[in-house]
């Protein structure tokens, strides 16, 4: 007979003796109580008998276990709790993934103060967290909601500041879901400049262009002055002809 089989048989015998003592004590206490209360109604006798028997069984099992413990140790038949397998240490990748998930859940939880209806902003699956604690919720192809952690002194808990970011614009902080709706309804700022660098209908622009052309042409020469005088004379003669009805 091997040691393992001997230990197993000893443990079984001791467990059986413990169980027999427990059941016997409980049954004896319950039966004695039932027979003693002959003047009481049957329902009360049964209830008290069950209560007394249960209490006697619990006490007997406790004391029997303590009494048999030295014998179990001598026979090597103790009940050993299997050791729990130690969990592997987290890796950097796992910690980064946990930090992203934590940021998404914190952003969704904090968004409850923006939207008391517990709408889409309060769902963690709609947020994309980052290891630095920030998280982003895509609203439209050109607009997103950014949750930025703000440290506080309350047990290290981080509250969140919520910013709306639109392409080509500065971030705008919001405090309610209504602020977000208003910002999304507002037209995007037009930062595009005219292709030729000029603004339509700007007379100063035209004046500046004319002055620049004049500068490029340089000072007028004697020939240029003569040509201008001839042009003025032709214009005057044409005007006199119109006035006389010749043209």
């Amino acid at each position: 007979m091997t040691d393992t089989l001997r230990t197993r048989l000893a443990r079984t015998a001791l467990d059986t003796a413990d169980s027999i003592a427990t059941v016997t004590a409980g049954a004896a206490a319950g039966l004695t109580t039932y027979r003693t209360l002959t003047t009481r109604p049957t329902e009360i006798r049964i209830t008290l008998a069950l209560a007394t028997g249960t209490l006697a069984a619990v006490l007997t099992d406790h004391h029997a276990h303590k009494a048999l413990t030295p014998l179990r140790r001598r026979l090597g038949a103790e009940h050993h709790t299997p050791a729990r397998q130690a969990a592997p240490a987290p890796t950097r990748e796992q910690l980064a993934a946990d930090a992203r998930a934590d940021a998404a859940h914190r952003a969704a939880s904090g968004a409850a103060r923006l939207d008391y209806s517990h709408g889409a902003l309060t769902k963690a699956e709609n947020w994309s967290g980052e290891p630095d604690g920030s998280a982003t919720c895509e609203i439209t192809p050109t607009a997103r909601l950014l949750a930025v952690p703000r440290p506080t002194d309350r047990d290290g808990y981080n509250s969140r500041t919520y910013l709306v970011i639109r392409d080509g614009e500065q971030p705008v902080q919001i405090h309610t879901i209504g602020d977000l709706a208003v910002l999304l309804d507002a037209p995007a700022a037009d930062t595009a400049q005219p292709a030729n660098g000029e603004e339509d209908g700007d007379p100063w622009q035209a004046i500046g262009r004319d002055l620049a052309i004049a500068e490029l042409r340089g000072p007028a020469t004697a020939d240029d002055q003569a040509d201008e005088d001839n042009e003025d004379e032709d214009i005057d003669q044409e005007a006199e002809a119109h006035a006389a009805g010749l043209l």
Side-chain angles (χ1 to χ4, degrees):
M1 182 180 296
T2 62
D3 292 340
T4 303
L5 181 57
R6 185 183 296 107
T7 301
R8 188 176 302 172
L9 291 176
R11 183 183 300 120
T12 301
L14 292 174
D15 290 344
T16 302
D18 191 354
S19 300
I20 292 174
T22 301
V23 172
T24 302
L31 184 59
T32 301
T33 302
Y34 183 82
R35 290 178 176 177
T36 303
L37 302 175
T38 55
T39 59
R40 299 294 183 88
T42 304
E43 293 81 2
I44 296 178
R45 294 172 66 188
I46 294 175
T47 303
L48 292 177
L50 291 175
T52 305
T54 302
L55 179 60
V58 171
L59 293 175
T60 302
D61 180 66
H62 176 70
H63 291 291
H65 180 76
K66 292 180 64 176
L68 294 175
T69 297
L71 184 58
R72 292 179 186 274
R73 291 176 181 174
R74 181 176 299 177
L75 298 176
E78 291 182 291
H79 291 279
H80 297 286
T81 303
R84 295 183 179 180
Q85 185 177 3
T91 61
R92 290 186 177 182
E93 293 75 10
Q94 183 62 46
L95 290 176
D98 293 343
R100 287 192 292 267
D102 178 78
H105 280 83
R106 287 182 182 271
S109 177
R113 64 183 176 85
L114 302 179
D115 182 12
Y116 286 104
S117 68
H118 298 286
L121 295 181
T122 61
K123 310 300 181 185
E125 57 269 19
N126 293 331
W127 290 88
S128 178
E130 298 297 335
D132 62 358
S134 63
T136 305
C137 179
E138 298 294 335
I139 306 298
T140 68
T142 59
R144 59 190 181 276
L145 187 61
L146 176 64
V148 182
R150 184 179 60 207
T152 63
D153 296 332
R154 187 179 62 187
D155 299 330
Y157 178 79
N158 291 332
S159 59
R160 257 61 183 169
T161 298
Y162 292 85
L163 305 172
V164 176
I165 300 178
R166 301 174 71 179
D167 292 347
E169 299 183 13
Q170 293 295 327
V172 180
Q173 183 177 355
I174 65 169
H175 300 88
T176 65
I177 192 72
D179 295 343
L180 177 60
V182 170
L183 285 174
L184 294 179
D185 289 340
D190 187 8
T191 58
Q193 298 294 332
N196 57 1
E198 301 177 1
E199 296 182 4
D200 296 338
D202 186 0
W204 298 104
Q205 189 76 12
I207 293 174
R209 184 177 62 250
D210 294 341
L211 290 176
I213 294 174
E215 280 189 25
L216 291 175
R217 292 178 60 184
T221 62
D223 294 338
D224 292 337
Q225 187 65 36
D227 292 339
E228 290 181 1
D229 293 340
N230 292 333
E231 289 179 0
D232 292 341
E233 184 177 355
D234 292 340
I235 293 174
D236 292 340
Q237 292 177 358
E238 186 177 356
E240 291 176 357
H242 273 290
L246 297 177
L247 293 179

